[in-house]
Amino acid sequence: MDAVHKKVIILGSGPAGYTAAIYAARANLQPMILTGFQKGGQLTTTTEVENFPGFPEGVDGNELMSHMEKQAARFETEIEMGEVTEVDLSVRPFKVFVGNQLYACDALIIATGASARYLGLESETTYKGRGVSACATCDGFFYRGKKVAVIGGGDSALEEASYLTNFCERVYLVHRRDEFRGSKAMQDRVLKNEKVEVVWDSVVDEVIGDETGMTDLRVKNLKTGETKLLGTEGMFVAIGHTPNTKLFESSLELDDKNYLVTQDGSSKTNIEGVFACGDVMDSVYRQAITAAGTGCMAAIDAERWLAEQE
Ligand code: NDP
């Protein structure tokens, strides 16, 4: 099989991947980005990003990612759509497969990010895409004038609940404890919104539906054991994320939460020439700006390491 050879390949096209590409390209490394199935990453499912410096009025997540892509392309980053199916990091050049297509590279930057978590109920799986979603920005529009539930108590859940009030008649925010994890500012915004009703100390017991899709949601109060129906036709799960590290399980060191382990203060993994940045290696901060920052670090680490090899 003929391989397309590159000095640097970057896996993933979120803020980490594009920032790594901008820096690597400007260092004359002619990088290639393999975008993954969700080009632009998680920010493409966000409405307003208010905390990325440089945008005093906030910026739409899709627009921000489109800017980053254009900036990477301007310095001649090759941007290939494609979902990596296998990697071989046992010998150099490293091998990256996208189906039958083989790519080879001297340095690999992993910026594969993280994906939304689901509750794991069978009924949740049954109605995924037919009432159950993990992205209000993508699917909220379908619930115009209806009742929906958001599950979770972090910033994502608070943000989704707030966003959904733009379309929905009522938004139930179902949280398993009696206090939110999300920021005070987001809590205030949500608690002030008359369309939001918080269902404290409660978890999803069952997603109910028929051949048309989800028709109701049964929740259970953990303190009293009582169950009740919310009458919602949509459920948005916002309970955090899982790092996209499946491809690297057998070759790279992962921590107890399956995030890639990097050496202190750098983007270096346990294999020389393989670097990691963004949400795939960060279970603590998980912000667009920190992802971009570590993307920059990965490109600089890769550039210096490649120079040492020559
Ligand atoms: P978090 O991990 O912060 O919150 C997850 C929430 O889901 C928690 O309230 C948790 O409950 C709940 N949860 C987890 N598992 C389950 C389960 N099995 N059943 C029911 N509930 C569950 O994730 P987020 O995605 O909200 O946020 C991730 C990071 O991104 C954070 O650092 C956040 O600040 C940031 N963020 C920032 C935004 C912004 O600034 N605009 C927007 C969105 C996210 P419990 O609290 O009991 O653990």
Side-chain angles (χ1 to χ4, degrees):
M1 195 189 300
D2 282 343
V4 174
H5 183 268
K6 292 276 158 188
K7 273 188 207 152
V8 177
I9 288 182
I10 298 160
L11 308 184
S13 54
Y18 280 135
T19 307
I22 292 163
Y23 273 79
R26 295 190 78 254
N28 230 3
L29 295 172
Q30 294 98 29
M32 170 189 270
I33 280 195
L34 293 169
T35 61
F37 74 95
Q38 189 180 18
K39 190 172 164 209
Q42 290 178 66
L43 277 191
T44 59
T45 64
T46 308
T47 37
E48 198 69 359
V49 181
E50 290 182 331
N51 50 13
F52 201 89
F55 299 91
E57 307 303 327
V59 59
D60 177 83
N62 268 299
E63 195 184 333
L64 179 60
M65 294 324 296
S66 158
H67 283 324
M68 287 194 198
E69 182 186 350
K70 282 187 196 138
Q71 196 172 351
R74 184 179 144 213
F75 298 112
E76 293 176 15
T77 299
E78 205 174 319
I79 299 171
E80 284 277 319
M81 297 283 283
E83 175 77 358
V84 175
T85 46
E86 194 187 335
V87 292
D88 179 355
L89 309 180
S90 59
V91 283
R92 293 204 293 262
F94 304 121
K95 294 192 189 74
V96 176
F97 296 86
V98 177
N100 290 329
Q101 177 64 57
L102 171 61
Y103 298 92
C105 58
D106 303 323
L108 181 69
I109 296 180
I110 300 171
T112 47
S115 297
R117 283 178 53 206
Y118 283 88
L119 298 165
L121 293 171
E122 207 179 308
S123 58
E124 174 193 53
T125 313
T126 305
Y127 297 107
K128 217 179 259 181
R130 297 190 302 140
V132 175
S133 167
C135 175
T137 326
C138 318
D139 302 324
F141 187 77
F142 300 120
Y143 299 91
R144 191 170 281 273
K146 296 185 176 167
K147 291 180 191 161
V148 297
V150 174
I151 319 302
D155 280 326
S156 298
L158 294 167
E159 190 177 73
E160 302 245 304
S162 183
Y163 174 73
L164 285 164
T165 59
N166 292 323
F167 309 98
C168 303
E169 180 198 305
R170 188 134 207 86
V171 178
Y172 294 97
L173 183 51
V174 181
H175 183 36
R176 63 184 178 184
R177 290 190 294 135
D178 59 2
E179 61 178 342
F180 288 125
R181 179 179 294 278
S183 67
K184 187 77 179 61
M186 299 280 260
Q187 290 189 33
D188 288 348
R189 193 184 300 175
V190 165
L191 292 172
K192 265 193 227 143
N193 193 320
E194 286 178 355
K195 283 188 171 179
V196 178
E197 183 176 327
V198 184
V199 186
W200 298 108
D201 299 312
S202 297
V203 293
V204 174
D205 194 42
E206 187 84 326
V207 183
I208 297 162
D210 58 23
E211 63 289 346
T212 62
M214 176 179 167
T215 55
D216 210 334
L217 185 68
R218 190 168 69 230
V219 293
K220 182 179 178 179
N221 185 301
L222 292 174
K223 287 193 171 153
T224 63
E226 258 173 55
T227 59
K228 67 174 175 183
L229 293 171
L230 295 181
T232 59
E233 290 172 62
M235 172 172 98
F236 291 86
V237 186
I239 60 164
H241 293 84
T242 308
N244 297 321
T245 49
K246 199 139 194 60
L247 287 170
F248 316 108
E249 267 170 0
S250 59
S251 46
L252 292 174
E253 192 187 340
L254 306 181
D255 70 11
D256 56 353
K257 290 188 237 158
N258 282 336
Y259 284 78
L260 285 179
V261 173
T262 51
Q263 291 169 25
D264 275 346
S266 83
S267 66
K268 294 175 189 168
T269 68
N270 58 308
I271 296 184
E272 264 196 49
V274 180
F275 306 88
C277 52
D279 283 12
V280 75
M281 48 70 79
D282 171 19
S283 63
V284 180
Y285 303 104
R286 296 180 293 183
Q287 302 297 303
I289 189 67
T290 46
T294 54
C296 159
M297 286 164 63
I300 292 175
D301 286 341
E303 180 197 352
R304 290 184 183 158
W305 181 80
L306 285 167
E308 279 166 22
Q309 308 307 303
E310 277 168 13

